[in-house]
Amino acid sequence: MIKSLTVYMLSFSIVFIIVHFLQEFILNQLNSSVRFSLWDTNLFFAIASIVICLHLKFFSFFKKLQPQLGFIYLPTLFIKGILFFIMFKSPIFGLVDLTTTERLNLLIPLLLFLGLEVFFVVKIITKNEV
């Protein structure tokens, strides 16, 4: 479990650092800006994905829950969306219109963190099927 925790923390931290500073670099190069905090949104995506992976890893230790891990994972996407809406209701959803730059700066990190999250979830689920 400690090895898994370390791998998750290290992987999501590296992706967080790369994504955040690459976003800042590109925005500076384009002399563009966004009206919300990139740090906060990226941190939310990273922490939410780590928590989901850790919970599934923890649940995988229970024999009764192992066949249900895929079904346990599905509602987490919905819950993560609701939490994102609640936490960023005024900074993001309060904006009248998002620019293309702002949309991309939300969508790209979301997809990257979600991809890494799904990678780890698939590893957890397939390890328990054998």
Side-chain angles (χ1 to χ4, degrees):
M1 180 75 173
I2 292 181
K3 180 183 174 189
S4 298
L5 172 66
T6 305
V7 169
Y8 300 153
M9 295 293 285
L10 191 60
S11 299
F12 284 108
S13 297
I14 289 170
V15 171
F16 172 77
I17 290 168
I18 290 171
V19 165
H20 180 71
F21 289 108
L22 192 59
Q23 282 178 313
E24 292 288 337
F25 176 76
I26 291 171
L27 286 173
N28 287 336
Q29 292 297 317
L30 297 174
N31 291 325
S32 186
S33 65
V34 293
R35 296 173 285 174
F36 53 86
S37 172
L38 291 175
W39 181 269
D40 292 343
T41 56
N42 292 340
L43 191 61
F44 173 83
F45 292 140
I47 290 174
S49 294
I50 289 170
V51 168
I52 289 170
C53 291
L54 289 176
H55 277 94
L56 281 181
K57 185 66 174 177
F58 176 73
F59 291 150
S60 72
F61 291 123
F62 298 102
K63 292 284 184 198
K64 286 179 118 178
L65 294 177
Q66 286 177 353
Q68 305 300 321
L69 289 176
F71 295 111
I72 293 171
Y73 174 66
L74 288 176
T76 63
L77 298 173
F78 183 67
I79 293 167
K80 185 167 43 170
I82 290 171
L83 289 175
F84 184 80
F85 177 76
I86 291 169
M87 291 183 71
F88 297 101
K89 187 174 184 177
S90 46
I92 295 174
F93 296 101
L95 299 173
V96 175
D97 190 26
L98 290 175
T99 64
T100 303
T101 304
E102 291 171 335
R103 289 178 188 173
L104 287 174
N105 278 290
L106 284 173
L107 183 64
I108 292 171
L110 168 70
L111 294 176
L112 290 173
F113 285 110
L114 184 63
L116 187 58
E117 175 186 319
V118 168
F119 172 76
F120 286 127
V121 167
V122 167
K123 283 181 70 170
I124 292 168
I125 291 173
T126 56
K127 182 179 179 184
N128 289 307
E129 287 181 358
V130 179

